[in-house]
Amino acid sequence: MRFFSRHKSVLCAGACAAAMVAAFPAIAADAGGGVETVVVTSQKVQGDVQTLPIAVTALSQTQLTTQQIAGGPDLVKSVPNLTFSKTNFTGYNIEIRGIGTQAVSATTDPAVAIGMNDIAFIRNHFFEQEFFDLDQAQVLRGPQGTLYGRNATAGVVNLITAKPTDQFQAMASVDVSNYSGRRLEGMLNIPIIGDKLDLRVAGEWTVRDGYTFDQTTDKAVDGRDLWSGRASLLFHPIEDLTATLVWEHFSEDDDRMRSAKQLCEKDPGPDSVGGVDLDDPGLSGFYKNALSQGCKPTSLYSASAYETPNGFAIPFVEGGAFMFNGSGLGGGGAGGFVLNPIDPYASQTQPRNLRVIQSAIEPNYRAKSDVLELNADYNITPTLTLTSQTGYDNDQLRSTEDYNRFNTAPGLFATAGASQYVVTTPVVNGVYCDPQLGCSSSMVAEDLSQERSSQFTQELRLTSSFDGPLNFSVGANYTHYQTLDDYYTFFNLLSLEAQLSNGSGPKDYGNCYALGTIAPTPYPISPTPYYVDFGNGPVATQGSLGCIPGYSPGTYIDPNPISSLNGNGHNYFRSENPYHLNSWAGFGEVYYQILPDLKLTGGLRWTEDQKKFWDIPSWTFLQGGGYPVAGIVKQSWGEVTGRFNASWSPKLDFTDASMFYASYSRGYKGGGANPPGPEPAFLGLGSFVTHPATFAPEFVDAFELGTKNTLLDGSLTLDADVFYYAYKGYQISQIVDRTSVNLNFDAKVKGAELEATWQPLPGLSFNLTGGYEDSSIDKGQSAVDLMDRTAGQPGWVVVKPYVSGTSNCILPASVVATLVNTYTSGPGVSTLFAPLATACNAAYGGVGSTGISQPLDDFSEYGVTGFDPASVPNGGAGFSKNLGGNKLPNMPPFTLSLGAQYTMPLNETWTATLRGDGYWQGNSFARVFNDRPYDQIHGYTNVNLSVTLADPDGWQAMFYVKNLFDTTAITGAFLNSDDSALTTNVFLTDPRLFGVRINKSF
């Protein structure tokens, strides 16, 4: 929807009360003591914001600047029941009324449509770049299922760019702040041919040092170096045709971090299991570590959260301690160990400051996008307007950073002088050189997130403006979107293990596979009878097959640095996600003025979505090279959404104008495909966890009552609403088995909102926005908590998988105790790993490690009788927790903004405006499990102050402070996978900023 602001006078901007802040509704102060509301094209039909029967907040560029709303994240301070947090993998989650994008998948649709000039873009950088030269930023709350459709179940954030005019205009701005911040902004509007052809160009450049300090490199990181430019050409050749061509470019190249600190309370493992003392010196320390998660659940605000993981709880770290040079992964050989038996994190602790990390790897963030729009309005008749909107977006992003952001201990690799160790290739004098990560004496890890996407959108609308009681808006929309999302994780230990498993001699990476490996799809050139299908793919059963003569099967190691990967290596983790979307929609709304003060609105939309996802499993540490496509997931839906609204505008004695409305709306968001999991690496010793290939769509039935009022001769506006949502299939992710598994939950949401502005005297105004919301997951909903798989059930313990496994499992403590008692020590990997690894894989339904012919439920050779792996809950994953009554994530029950501003003359020409803005939100939960204290996200307060000096010649100077009390708040948390020790990434608000902004308008 398009918003156009019409101001009678200069907006009063500023505040005199330091403790008060405001989220400005879409109004401007009148010097005469009244307020004039903004005219908007909300719902793509023009109207006064105070007469539109929807919950909407609109902010002009003046209000955005005055309230120090630099970009999308700052909108939380101005819109009730809106929250924002960054998320993993370069994404972000904006929630309106508790509903946002909680699912992680390339095929996930956003719940809040983010658009520019009414065109919604699935992939965009509007919340990473800074606002500049806007006409308005507007937020619609609630499902917009008719006119915006499929990806607007929670609402819409629409950025309306300033349009060219037939008057010469120019503006230049310089902003200097702490953290060496510099921001330049400019605008030039040129009438080329009267009112027939007008050009407007604008841009901004922001650069600053990072808010995070890296103790290892002694440098600040998470800085910004980005710029945006926009050119708009308005074409008005005839009276009835107006078209605007807009091109916007965004570019960034800096050390932005995708997430801040990574938190953990170390889990040393249990002291005993089933009556067996695991600290007994006669037992191998392996067993204690094999029963450790790596990190325990704890409050993210506690001192213990600043510890580091139990490194031996990471399967490939524990396995690496038993690697032998020259003899592979299975037995002593003549070489010797290549790793010292140390926990790579053992001596490491983290600074107790969320803005201080310890990383040897500097982050790198590069992004660019080009958005092209052509919007045209043609008046077919004086009462019928045809609107065409064409949009194209091309987007690229590439981001690398340290996987952990805390140090690892040196001395991990073997050095000369220790008789049990060797110092030969691939480890030389205690240093291993990884092809991607370089040379190091400690464990090094880095990840890479990148994407390339494009979108084309075409919409046509026909809108009437008849004088009679009946009007309409009908249209059609087509959207094509395609993306390739790629995520890599690099550990130098993975490369080392792959290199050791290859041994010596020439290797064949494409035609043959060793005993027990899973064949790719399509099968290799070897005859298919050599493969036996155990339900997890065709498994090689007769040794090396089909190799080039003189070659043996090997794990391909990508020799290239991270900057130029060929992408075929199995010495790293890669999740490759190609995805295409085609969406068609037809929609219409009818507006009927049944009485002078009663209006009815009814609308329907038919949406057909077709999604195609290429399923490419990850192949970490598998023999061979490349990433075969396992299959193509095709999904389609045809859904009807819409709304019904009744608005009543009675004449009341105690208000200047009032409007009451009641509405019902139906929202829909498509389902999608879960990113593929890993292929098992070895027969019975890999991952055999199965997950649903797809997840279901979301639906919401929303009911709302609201009122909008103007009082006290126009000096006060008071708007309020209450709402109730019945949500079906809310999509929420868990990172498990090296992939994202998206689950669907049903829930109820209810709440209320209040927005008010009062101007008691000319130049003095006060503002208030408040939001209340409450959610409850429906009864009967449940899920396995990866941080607490046993769910407190006695007699069960968490067990780590084999080195190539990816998911923890749970087993009876009695079974584990028997396995520990049977195998207390031994020189080879099989003695230590096989019992627990086999039991864990058996619980997940995998094949046994001792041979294909052995039944999975036969553990007699390990001293276990009467144990049926099928008895482990949820196929080995753990006990489900009842979620009925729990709150939805990232939904604080209260949000509140207060504000005051006062403008006064300093002399005959200069005025001063004082302004204060404050924002508070309550506590929330990071996950649906609502586990205290781990899931608790504390509320926070933010206070901004500014003083603005202005004169009639267009000069303006603003002195400002943002986040006056330097509050560092956690806005969200992300739980990492089992095989990376269940660490938690957190996301933060900005620190205190202060500076001066000088502006000159012409």
Side-chain angles (χ1 to χ4, degrees):
M1 56 208 66
R2 186 177 299 124
F3 280 24
F4 299 96
S5 177
R6 298 186 304 188
H7 298 274
K8 289 182 178 176
S9 59
V10 177
L11 173 68
C12 287
C16 57
M20 302 185 70
V21 280
F24 242 74
I27 56 177
D30 186 301
V35 292
E36 181 185 8
T37 59
V38 174
V39 174
V40 300
T41 54
S42 177
Q43 296 294 297
K44 303 182 182 180
V45 178
Q46 182 170 302
D48 188 305
V49 71
Q50 284 300 106
T51 64
L52 288 171
I54 59 172
V56 57
T57 300
L59 301 162
S60 69
Q61 181 64 68
T62 301
Q63 292 169 315
L64 294 170
T65 302
T66 302
Q67 296 183 56
Q68 303 185 56
I69 301 175
D74 288 334
L75 288 174
V76 299
K77 305 166 189 175
S78 302
V79 182
N81 287 331
L82 184 146
T83 61
F84 174 88
S85 179
K86 291 179 61 180
T87 59
N88 249 42
F89 315 115
T90 69
Y92 61 83
N93 178 29
I94 179 171
E95 294 199 0
I96 298 177
R97 294 176 172 176
I99 302 300
T101 307
Q102 293 281 348
V104 178
S105 170
T107 64
T108 299
D109 295 317
V112 177
I114 310 295
M116 185 172 79
N117 299 321
D118 299 327
I119 300 176
F121 292 99
I122 296 173
R123 176 84 68 173
N124 62 78
H125 294 281
F126 298 146
F127 275 48
E128 294 178 6
Q129 65 192 89
E130 297 196 346
F131 293 156
F132 70 101
D133 199 38
L134 295 180
D135 182 63
Q136 288 189 351
Q138 55 91 14
V139 180
L140 283 77
R141 304 187 294 279
Q144 307 299 315
T146 302
L147 298 179
Y148 282 92
R150 54 186 298 278
N151 57 344
T153 50
V156 173
V157 176
N158 199 16
L159 305 179
I160 308 301
T161 62
K163 302 300 185 292
T165 69
D166 59 0
Q167 302 293 320
F168 175 82
Q169 293 176 295
M171 184 276 291
S173 173
V174 178
D175 191 322
V176 179
S177 62
N178 57 332
Y179 293 95
S180 301
R182 289 150 288 164
R183 186 179 190 274
L184 303 179
E185 183 179 347
M187 179 275 294
L188 180 64
N189 188 95
I190 304 174
I192 299 176
I193 307 176
D195 64 348
K196 303 297 184 183
L197 187 64
D198 304 309
L199 174 67
R200 189 182 187 99
V201 293
E204 74 89 22
W205 173 66
T206 298
V207 61
R208 64 162 173 80
D209 292 341
Y211 297 154
T212 299
F213 182 73
D214 187 344
Q215 286 186 332
T216 302
T217 61
D218 197 32
K219 294 181 179 179
V221 294
D222 198 27
R224 298 291 184 272
D225 189 346
L226 53 88
W227 66 274
S228 302
R230 184 188 308 128
S232 303
L233 186 68
L234 187 145
F235 183 51
H236 184 56
I238 59 177
E239 182 66 26
D240 293 325
L241 175 64
T242 301
T244 305
L245 179 66
V246 180
W247 170 56
E248 180 169 303
H249 177 80
F250 167 77
S251 180
E252 179 174 1
D253 188 356
D254 50 38
D255 57 4
R256 180 198 290 262
M257 297 172 61
R258 297 196 305 274
S259 58
K261 217 173 180 79
Q262 193 174 91
L263 302 182
C264 171
E265 179 180 359
K266 187 184 296 290
D267 179 10
D271 295 329
S272 64
V273 59
V276 177
D277 183 4
L278 296 180
D279 291 321
D280 186 335
L283 292 179
S284 169
F286 162 79
Y287 293 107
K288 188 178 178 74
N289 293 322
L291 305 180
S292 165
Q293 297 186 152
C295 299
K296 297 191 296 186
T298 188
S299 170
L300 301 178
Y301 304 88
S302 66
S304 59
Y306 293 87
E307 297 172 355
T308 54
N310 179 356
F312 283 133
I314 300 176
F316 58 83
V317 173
E318 179 70 12
F322 296 91
M323 289 189 300
F324 289 84
N325 185 76
S327 61
L329 284 175
F337 292 98
V338 295
L339 293 186
N340 291 314
I342 65 170
D343 180 349
Y345 304 116
S347 61
Q348 305 301 311
T349 58
Q350 299 193 68
R352 288 199 59 192
N353 185 327
L354 287 172
R355 300 197 191 276
V356 178
I357 64 172
Q358 297 167 318
S359 173
I361 299 174
E362 296 184 16
N364 178 263
Y365 195 95
R366 289 182 292 171
K368 66 177 181 179
S369 68
D370 288 279
V371 176
L372 188 66
E373 295 182 341
L374 176 61
N375 299 319
D377 292 313
Y378 177 66
N379 296 324
I380 301 174
T381 70
T383 57
L384 286 176
T385 300
L386 179 65
T387 298
S388 171
Q389 292 194 293
T390 307
Y392 174 78
D393 173 46
N394 184 276
D395 192 281
Q396 299 180 43
L397 183 146
R398 189 177 189 278
S399 169
T400 61
E401 68 179 12
D402 190 300
Y403 187 80
N404 292 129
R405 295 173 297 287
F406 44 73
N407 277 336
T408 55
L412 178 63
F413 302 106
T415 57
S419 59
Q420 72 268 41
Y421 303 113
V422 295
V423 189
T424 58
T425 303
V427 175
V428 179
N429 291 327
V431 173
Y432 174 67
C433 293
D434 181 277
Q436 281 78 51
L437 301 172
C439 300
S440 177
S441 65
S442 61
M443 184 174 71
V444 180
E446 186 173 6
D447 66 353
L448 163 65
S449 182
Q450 61 185 11
E451 61 85 10
R452 300 188 304 274
S453 67
S454 63
Q455 176 179 333
F456 171 79
T457 297
Q458 176 63 57
E459 180 166 301
L460 294 173
R461 294 193 308 275
L462 180 65
T463 305
S464 71
S465 56
F466 301 137
D467 293 333
L470 182 67
N471 278 286
F472 65 86
S473 177
V474 296
N477 178 284
Y478 169 72
T479 296
H480 173 76
Y481 172 75
Q482 63 184 49
T483 184
L484 174 60
D485 288 12
D486 236 351
Y487 179 72
Y488 294 78
T489 303
F490 309 91
F491 277 85
N492 57 356
L493 284 187
L494 291 178
S495 293
L496 175 59
E497 292 177 22
Q499 190 170 351
L500 287 171
S501 69
N502 279 342
S504 59
K507 302 299 171 188
D508 183 347
Y509 303 117
N511 298 305
C512 59
Y513 296 82
L515 174 67
T517 57
I518 303 299
T521 301
Y523 298 164
I525 63 174
S526 304
T528 55
Y530 285 100
Y531 293 88
V532 179
D533 194 342
F534 283 87
N536 299 290
V539 179
T541 60
Q542 295 188 13
S544 301
L545 306 173
C547 288
I548 299 172
Y551 285 67
S552 61
T555 298
Y556 178 69
I557 298 174
D558 192 335
N560 302 291
I562 291 178
S563 59
S564 57
L565 297 167
N566 64 30
N568 294 318
H570 292 173
N571 61 310
Y572 43 62
F573 166 83
R574 181 185 185 186
S575 178
E576 186 178 9
N577 298 274
Y579 161 61
H580 288 183
L581 164 72
N582 285 293
S583 181
W584 295 264
F587 56 88
E589 282 195 337
V590 176
Y591 316 99
Y592 186 59
Q593 194 76 42
I594 189 171
L595 295 172
D597 58 359
L598 180 62
K599 183 178 181 180
L600 302 180
T601 299
L604 290 175
R605 183 186 187 103
W606 166 262
T607 302
E608 181 173 335
D609 286 337
Q610 295 182 357
K611 294 187 176 185
K612 182 187 293 187
F613 178 75
W614 283 259
D615 192 335
I616 305 176
S618 60
W619 280 56
T620 307
F621 207 42
L622 267 72
Q623 290 178 327
Y627 289 77
V629 176
I632 299 178
V633 180
K634 296 181 179 180
Q635 298 172 278
S636 62
W637 299 272
E639 302 294 343
V640 176
T641 57
R643 70 168 181 145
F644 175 80
N645 185 290
S647 60
W648 178 45
S649 303
K651 295 188 180 298
L652 304 176
D653 294 337
F654 53 89
T655 68
D656 302 326
S658 292
M659 185 263 293
F660 302 88
Y661 65 89
S663 70
Y664 162 77
S665 56
R666 170 86 167 171
Y668 149 77
K669 190 178 88 167
N674 285 322
E679 288 287 349
F682 294 113
L683 179 62
L685 297 178
S687 171
F688 289 90
V689 185
T690 58
H691 303 290
T694 62
F695 54 95
E698 295 180 1
F699 298 95
V700 58
D701 291 304
F703 303 86
E704 184 170 340
L705 296 173
T707 181
K708 297 186 177 184
N709 303 274
T710 303
L711 306 93
L712 304 179
D713 295 327
S715 65
L716 174 66
T717 63
L718 182 64
D719 302 341
D721 62 71
V722 295
F723 58 88
Y724 174 82
Y725 290 177
Y727 222 93
K728 298 294 184 183
Y730 190 32
Q731 301 161 1
I732 298 179
S733 290
Q734 285 187 324
I735 302 301
V736 57
D737 202 33
R738 291 186 193 152
T739 188
S740 173
V741 178
N742 296 286
L743 307 175
N744 293 91
F745 298 98
D746 299 340
K748 303 295 188 295
V749 182
K750 60 184 178 182
E753 295 161 344
L754 177 69
E755 295 183 276
T757 296
W758 180 38
Q759 187 184 3
L761 299 171
L764 175 65
S765 62
F766 301 93
N767 310 275
L768 165 71
T769 68
Y772 163 75
E773 55 191 354
D774 182 38
S775 64
S776 178
I777 297 176
D778 287 359
K779 294 180 179 180
Q781 310 287 292
S782 63
V784 175
D785 184 350
L786 305 183
M787 190 57 111
D788 183 20
R789 288 181 180 268
T790 66
Q793 295 291 328
W796 293 82
V797 293
V798 174
V799 177
K800 303 297 296 185
Y802 182 65
V803 55
S804 55
T806 55
S807 289
N808 297 341
C809 75
I810 67 167
L811 293 173
S814 59
V815 171
V816 174
T818 301
L819 296 174
V820 172
N821 276 326
T822 304
Y823 293 88
T824 58
S825 62
V829 174
S830 61
T831 304
L832 294 173
F833 279 93
L836 290 179
T838 300
C840 203
N841 287 336
Y844 275 122
V847 294
S849 65
T850 57
I852 296 174
S853 62
Q854 180 175 343
L856 290 176
D857 57 358
D858 183 2
F859 286 86
S860 58
E861 66 173 290
Y862 302 131
V864 177
T865 59
F867 169 57
D868 181 4
S871 65
V872 182
N874 290 302
F879 287 92
S880 293
K881 286 186 174 180
N882 177 24
L883 303 180
N886 284 9
K887 309 300 181 185
L888 292 176
N890 301 108
M891 179 186 283
F894 296 100
T895 59
L896 178 66
S897 299
L898 296 171
Q901 66 179 32
Y902 181 61
T903 300
M904 58 184 178
L906 296 179
N907 54 35
E908 293 182 355
T909 57
W910 286 87
T911 61
T913 300
L914 309 177
R915 182 176 180 84
D917 290 291
Y919 170 77
W920 170 77
Q921 71 169 236
N923 295 343
S924 61
F925 291 102
R927 304 183 306 155
V928 291
F929 299 100
N930 293 188
D931 289 345
R932 291 183 172 90
Y934 173 69
D935 284 329
Q936 190 79 65
I937 300 294
H938 291 181
Y940 67 93
T941 301
N942 181 280
V943 174
N944 300 338
L945 299 176
S946 67
V947 177
T948 303
L949 306 178
D951 78 343
D953 294 329
W955 284 101
Q956 186 181 81
M958 173 190 282
F959 303 88
Y960 62 86
V961 178
K962 297 182 68 173
N963 191 4
L964 177 66
F965 301 113
D966 199 19
T967 301
T968 299
I970 296 175
T971 59
F974 182 90
L975 177 63
N976 289 300
S977 60
D978 290 318
D979 61 342
S980 58
L982 292 174
T983 53
T984 301
N985 293 342
V986 294
F987 309 93
L988 309 176
T989 56
D990 290 346
R992 177 170 53 224
L993 304 174
F994 54 87
V996 58
R997 177 186 177 100
I998 307 297
N999 185 88
K1000 171 61 175 172
S1001 298
F1002 303 89

